[in-house]
Amino acid sequence: MDDAFSFGRWLQQRRKLLDLTQAELGQQVGVSGDAIRKIEGDERRPSKEVAEHLAQLLHIPLEERTAFVRFARGEAAGGLFTLPPLAETAPWRPTARPPSNLPLASTSFIGREHEVAVVCALVRRSDVRLLTLTGPGGIGKTRLGLQVSEAMRDEFPDGIWFVGLAAITEPGLVAATIATTLRVKEISGQSVEATLQEYLRDKHMVLLLDNFEHVVRATPLIPTLLSQALHLKVLVTSRVSLHLSGEQEFPVPSLTLPQRQPLPHLEALSQYEAVDLFIKRAQGVKPEFQLTPATAAAVAEICCRLDGLPLAIELAAVRSKVLMPTALLQRLDQRLKLLTGGSRDLPARHHTLRSTIEWSYQLLAPTEQTIFHRLAIFVGGWTLEAAESVCALADDLPVSILDIVQALVDQSLVRQEEGPDGNVRFGMLETIREYALERLELSGEMDQVHEAHADFYLRFAERTEQTADVSLGAGWAEPLKGEQPNIRTALQWCLQTGARDTALRFVIALISFWHFFGYSSEGRRWCELVLADGSDVSPSLLMEARNQAAYLASEHGYLAAAQRWLEDNLVLSRQLGNEYETYGTLLYLGFVLVRAEKYEQAAICFEEGLVIAQTLGIKHGIASHLHGLGVVALNQGDVHAARRHIEQAVALTREVDHTYSHRKYNLAGQVMELGRVAMYEGALDDARTHCAEAVRLAREVESVPVVCEALVEMGRVELLAGELDIARQHFAASLSLWQDADNPIRISENLWGLGGVAGRQGQIVRAARLFGAEAALRTSINEQPDRVDRELYEQLVTSIRSQADASVWEAAWTEGQEMTVDEAISYAFEDVDTTLDSGMALQ
């Protein structure tokens, strides 16, 4: 072979430029290192599949890949595809590609060259911004969408992002799912839709929304996003058209099929997409499988009977491990006949797919069938522990769940994959799960399995919350994040069936997760649904759930909701004659009213609670209400009364048994408040001492919120004292603990503090930007500092602003207001030493 056209030598050069060994390149394209050696030595040609992998790996342009594959296989003259002369080839290096989360395919993409080209052309058209790939389940919509996305990825600077909707059944969660995929954090007080619109406004991006038919009522979201983001394109896969103005629909066809009579010769037959797919997947379970004159007719007939549907063909092909094609065809024929009388209002192809799954189902042993339909209760996958707990029911199985699940994996009815924590997870294709759900309904076990499912995930949520290891930082919440689809399903079932006590326990267990990890909007929505009806439930659970819901609402600026839930609790506790609950509710309500600047009402709550606590002889309760009265007095400008009340509170709390961590937690908050009083009086040394003690106490009980608040107060003390470097470290340490949490109030406090430090150091523009970001964040949740903090804020901002040119200040302030929360946090951390030990991670 002429060196100028030696594919082997050309490949060898490219491999060396990529710094890959023959074994490493072989691993990437699915062959041995010895096979690569032979290809580079021109001893053999790559298979079509290997050539396709090489074309993708080496970034051969899409329009040239077919010619490249033919040339690599020696099937075309050099004129169709000319390799660059080796001497003139500049060293090639892979270039950085736009970001994406496109999942890597575990198997080769078969055929569809025409469809890929047509869809790519449609996406490129300026008048097509919404393109829907439609077709029945199993037709290959997702795989085609991913192939198109990978081919076009370099054409969109902000990437192509895959948003899987298979696990979402509530249309209201579509926007949140897109936001989570794009790592766009919710802003309290602002809808997820509005946050997405702002984020996408200037993005040159494609969103691939997969399995949209599950949430078709969410279609209005798409034109909303497109109207605000002029460079955004949306590619949808769905079984139904979305019926939106401007929608371009592309019906995904079946794989190409051969004619039955006369049957093409073997080489031509294997070029048909459906037959090629069958061969490749059969070889995946039986490497020696080949298309022969004896099997050709049966394979062609199987593909035709299955209408060229990829999923149906794959399910059939894996049976080649134990069944010859003629035996497969006989079994398939029996099952198709059995189900040809299905409902006429279902699509014809759906009948065929249903027949294929039914056929696979009938090949299962009875015990495997039972577990198969019970597994359908899971949404978004499951762990082995979950399957063993939910599917065993009355211990009615003669073999282990593990063995059955593994058997279902082997038969391609269940998929096995690695979860985000590195552990094994299982799942079903949605079309298969739909069939399994029908079987579950027919079995009469639906309610029983739903109850077991809800019970498992309730215990899972409670255990995760109770055993949270704060040393893991945000890591303790990862298991809960991965199981959100199942938890949502369980909660929804509780509401639908009236299992209200279970729903209340879910709320109590999930509040911390919702609060700290970006799910506050969803959490409030569940709280509203679960707490809508307080009848026929455990009063103690109801009051605890309302208290937790009020905490979530108040921490995110929804004070009216918090006040409503606590006032409902107050009525209930009085009706029950439960004075202990009454004084506790008065305490929580008083602090919510302080946040709402309803000081007179707050004082009434604290005074009434104080009387009850004194009557009951509860020292820590007396101290807590005195603390509340001190906070009211401080905000009303009565510093002497504030000091008197809070000093009494601290003295009483020091007397009580600190075996209970919440009492030490209370002491930390009270000592910190004493520090605020001292700071207000100008006694900065005393303030520094009190705040340092508050940090120590909070660390002992692993209370991140109090640690953060105390660090903020210490930062303010040092800011007022002129110790700017120390102040900056305190604010940065607090912010580093809050940056991954959905708590705009706490984040804004630290942005303000770092802005104050910058201003005092003469960095006026930086200060204005941080102040602008802080103001925008507070405005977004309709939350302002209390009177004491607001006076300090206003004095500092006014002082720094007076040193700046008005136009420069306004421009920088506006820049800060336009920052996202993540951008503001990143900017705040620039040139800041965050190595100061805060003592703990965010729990």
Side-chain angles (χ1 to χ4, degrees):
M1 176 179 287
D2 191 314
D3 281 351
F5 292 97
S6 169
F7 178 79
R9 286 197 58 198
W10 183 85
L11 179 63
Q12 181 184 53
Q13 184 195 50
R14 291 303 182 275
R15 173 180 61 78
K16 290 181 177 180
L17 289 173
L18 286 169
D19 197 24
L20 295 174
T21 65
Q22 290 174 335
E24 289 169 339
L25 177 59
Q27 185 176 20
Q28 292 199 33
V29 298
V31 298
S32 66
D34 186 60
I36 295 295
R37 180 186 62 77
K38 291 180 179 179
I39 293 172
E40 290 182 348
D42 294 316
E43 298 176 32
R44 60 177 287 186
R45 292 284 187 175
S47 67
K48 180 182 177 183
E49 185 175 2
V50 170
E52 288 171 346
H53 282 308
L54 286 170
Q56 184 172 354
L57 178 67
L58 300 174
H59 294 179
I60 300 299
L62 182 65
E63 61 272 14
E64 298 180 19
R65 288 187 183 179
T66 299
F68 172 87
V69 169
R70 294 180 63 191
F71 183 83
R73 289 177 49 75
E75 298 172 350
L80 292 177
F81 184 86
T82 304
L83 297 173
L86 297 181
E88 298 177 12
T89 302
W92 178 86
R93 290 285 187 268
T95 57
R97 305 190 70 192
S100 89
N101 68 333
L102 296 176
L104 295 175
S106 59
T107 57
S108 59
F109 185 73
I110 305 298
R112 303 282 204 197
E113 288 91 354
H114 173 71
E115 288 83 1
V116 170
V118 171
V119 174
C120 285
L122 288 171
V123 174
R124 291 188 181 103
R125 278 172 42 183
S126 60
D127 61 331
V128 175
R129 300 188 59 212
L130 169 60
L131 177 59
T132 306
L133 306 182
T134 59
I139 195 68
K141 302 181 294 295
T142 298
R143 195 65 190 272
L144 177 59
L146 289 171
Q147 188 72 10
V148 167
S149 298
E150 180 60 38
M152 303 193 70
R153 179 177 162 189
D154 294 332
E155 301 179 32
F156 294 87
D158 296 306
I160 298 181
W161 297 89
F162 177 84
V163 183
L165 301 175
I168 302 298
T169 57
E170 171 55 48
L173 295 174
V174 172
T177 303
I178 296 174
T180 299
T181 301
L182 297 175
R183 300 182 180 88
V184 176
K185 292 187 177 180
E186 293 183 25
I187 298 175
S188 295
Q190 183 178 41
S191 69
V192 180
E193 291 82 355
T195 305
L196 272 177
Q197 289 177 47
E198 292 179 6
Y199 175 82
L200 294 169
R201 192 179 307 279
D202 298 315
K203 294 291 189 294
H204 290 69
M205 175 188 293
V206 174
L207 292 179
L208 173 52
L209 307 182
D210 189 50
N211 281 305
F212 207 92
E213 66 275 359
H214 295 273
V215 287
V216 72
R217 285 183 294 157
T219 50
L221 173 66
I222 296 177
T224 298
L225 297 179
L226 289 172
S227 67
Q228 299 297 317
L230 300 183
H231 304 295
L232 174 69
K233 288 179 180 280
V234 177
L235 181 60
V236 176
T237 71
S238 175
R239 297 183 189 180
V240 297
S241 172
L242 304 187
H243 298 293
L244 291 172
S245 177
E247 178 187 21
Q248 172 70 53
E249 185 177 348
F250 181 84
V252 178
S254 298
L255 298 177
T256 56
L257 292 164
Q259 60 184 19
R260 289 184 169 102
Q261 293 296 334
L263 194 68
H265 59 81
L266 286 183
E267 184 175 353
L269 182 61
S270 65
Q271 299 304 308
Y272 286 94
E273 294 170 343
V275 175
D276 192 15
L277 177 62
F278 185 95
I279 295 170
K280 295 294 194 305
R281 298 301 182 258
Q283 290 173 341
V285 296
K286 189 176 183 180
E288 67 272 23
F289 181 88
Q290 295 291 330
L291 192 66
T292 68
T295 60
V299 170
E301 185 64 18
I302 289 171
C303 293
C304 291
R305 292 284 187 91
L306 296 179
D307 292 338
L309 292 172
L311 176 58
I313 292 170
E314 290 187 342
L315 287 171
V318 294
R319 297 298 178 187
S320 299
K321 186 174 184 178
V322 293
L323 294 173
M324 292 297 291
T326 51
L328 273 172
L329 182 59
Q330 291 173 359
R331 290 173 179 263
L332 185 61
D333 183 59
Q334 293 170 359
R335 296 304 177 267
L336 286 171
K337 287 181 179 179
L338 181 64
L339 295 178
T340 53
S343 301
R344 294 182 182 275
D345 59 347
L346 292 175
R349 289 193 180 100
H350 201 177
H351 290 177
T352 305
L353 181 59
R354 185 184 301 277
S355 300
T356 306
I357 302 173
E358 168 69 16
W359 164 71
S360 297
Y361 176 79
Q362 293 296 344
L363 290 176
L364 299 176
T367 303
E368 293 172 343
Q369 291 180 343
T370 298
I371 296 305
F372 172 67
H373 70 237
R374 290 177 184 175
L375 288 170
I377 204 69
F378 294 103
V379 183
W382 64 86
T383 62
L384 180 60
E385 178 193 6
E388 290 174 333
S389 177
V390 173
C391 296
L393 291 186
D395 241 358
D396 57 352
L397 303 172
V399 294
S400 73
I401 297 291
L402 173 60
D403 290 341
I404 298 175
V405 171
Q406 188 59 57
L408 294 173
V409 170
D410 291 342
Q411 296 169 80
S412 296
L413 289 170
V414 166
R415 306 171 78 179
Q416 179 177 325
E417 55 193 20
E418 183 177 308
D421 57 356
N423 293 323
V424 173
R425 283 185 68 82
F426 302 92
M428 287 183 183
L429 293 172
E430 280 305 298
T431 49
I432 294 177
R433 179 174 175 269
E434 286 181 13
Y435 175 83
L437 277 172
E438 292 177 3
R439 282 284 169 180
L440 179 58
E441 187 70 52
L442 291 171
S443 73
E445 294 183 334
M446 180 68 82
D447 288 342
Q448 191 179 1
V449 176
H450 253 307
E451 183 176 359
H453 178 267
D455 178 69
F456 173 81
Y457 283 104
L458 174 60
R459 289 185 286 108
F460 171 78
E462 289 179 334
R463 183 175 68 248
T464 303
E465 194 274 336
Q466 291 165 4
T467 61
D469 185 352
V470 298
S471 67
L472 296 175
W476 73 265
E478 290 304 318
L480 283 175
K481 289 182 181 178
E483 296 295 358
Q484 282 305 289
N486 280 307
I487 289 173
R488 290 163 181 155
T489 297
L491 261 170
Q492 192 63 47
W493 177 81
C494 290
L495 293 175
Q496 290 172 348
T497 59
R500 307 197 67 82
D501 280 6
T502 302
L504 291 171
R505 289 173 61 189
F506 265 117
V507 166
I508 295 168
L510 293 169
I511 286 292
S512 292
F513 171 74
W514 287 333
H515 170 44
F516 285 113
F517 298 103
Y519 292 83
S520 63
S521 295
E522 180 178 347
R524 289 194 308 276
R525 184 164 60 250
W526 284 119
C527 288
E528 291 284 0
L529 292 170
V530 172
L531 296 173
D533 182 5
S535 60
D536 299 323
V537 295
S538 163
S540 60
L541 281 177
L542 177 60
M543 286 190 285
E544 176 63 15
R546 282 173 176 166
N547 286 340
Q548 295 290 345
Y551 168 71
L552 178 67
S554 64
E555 281 297 299
H556 294 270
Y558 293 86
L559 301 179
Q563 182 178 341
R564 168 167 47 86
W565 281 321
L566 291 172
E567 287 175 344
D568 288 343
N569 261 7
L570 193 57
V571 172
L572 179 57
S573 65
R574 284 171 170 162
Q575 288 175 345
L576 296 172
N578 190 329
E579 291 190 314
Y580 188 89
E581 287 290 344
T582 298
Y583 104 83
T585 301
L586 286 166
L587 181 67
Y588 298 148
L589 180 57
F591 279 109
V592 168
L593 292 168
V594 167
R595 292 275 297 279
E597 299 191 9
K598 298 177 180 179
Y599 299 118
E600 291 76 11
Q601 295 178 47
I604 292 172
C605 289
F606 292 134
E607 288 166 354
E608 182 181 351
L610 177 60
V611 172
I612 297 174
Q614 289 171 334
T615 301
L616 296 175
I618 304 173
K619 281 188 176 182
H620 67 271
I622 296 170
S624 294
H625 284 279
L626 286 170
H627 176 199
L629 289 170
V631 172
V632 170
L634 185 61
N635 278 280
Q636 291 179 323
D638 190 344
V639 182
H640 296 299
R643 173 172 287 281
R644 183 178 71 254
H645 288 312
I646 297 172
E647 285 180 341
Q648 290 175 348
V650 169
L652 278 171
T653 305
R654 291 191 193 279
E655 293 176 7
V656 302
D657 181 8
H658 288 161
T659 303
Y660 299 101
S661 62
H662 73 273
R663 294 178 184 173
K664 190 174 289 187
Y665 170 93
N666 290 344
L667 180 59
Q670 293 161 10
V671 171
M672 182 177 64
E673 201 67 45
L674 201 55
R676 294 185 75 218
V677 172
M679 182 172 58
Y680 193 84
E681 293 176 325
L684 299 184
D685 288 340
D686 288 345
R688 186 181 290 116
T689 299
H690 293 315
C691 291
E693 182 184 2
V695 170
R696 177 182 61 77
L697 290 168
R699 285 174 178 164
E700 290 177 6
V701 294
E702 299 180 334
S703 174
V704 173
V706 178
V707 168
C708 290
E709 292 175 36
L711 285 170
V712 169
E713 296 304 330
M714 292 178 72
R716 290 171 179 165
V717 170
E718 302 301 348
L719 179 59
L720 292 173
E723 299 291 344
L724 301 181
D725 289 339
I726 298 175
R728 181 173 56 184
Q729 288 182 333
H730 286 316
F731 289 126
S734 177
L735 182 58
S736 69
L737 294 175
W738 282 117
Q739 62 180 325
D740 292 327
D742 176 28
N743 195 315
I745 296 173
R746 304 307 176 196
I747 292 172
S748 68
E749 291 174 343
N750 291 290
L751 294 178
W752 173 88
L754 290 169
V757 170
R760 288 295 189 221
Q761 291 181 326
Q763 301 174 23
I764 306 301
V765 171
R766 179 176 176 80
R769 287 177 181 148
L770 289 170
F771 286 148
E774 184 273 339
L777 190 53
R778 284 196 180 271
T779 299
S780 71
I781 57 170
N782 194 30
E783 171 80 3
Q784 295 301 320
D786 62 26
R787 289 182 183 177
V788 176
D789 289 342
R790 189 160 61 244
E791 181 178 329
L792 178 61
Y793 286 14
E794 291 173 353
Q795 289 176 354
L796 185 64
V797 172
T798 300
S799 172
I800 295 173
R801 182 173 184 169
S802 67
Q803 305 171 40
D805 176 82
S807 61
V808 172
W809 178 273
E810 290 299 331
W813 180 281
T814 300
E815 290 172 3
Q817 288 195 310
E818 292 175 350
M819 289 181 180
T820 65
V821 176
D822 285 343
E823 289 171 343
I825 291 173
S826 297
Y827 182 69
F829 279 139
E830 288 181 5
D831 302 321
V832 174
D833 180 9
T834 59
T835 59
L836 181 69
D837 181 18
S838 62
M840 66 200 323
L842 181 61
Q843 62 177 349

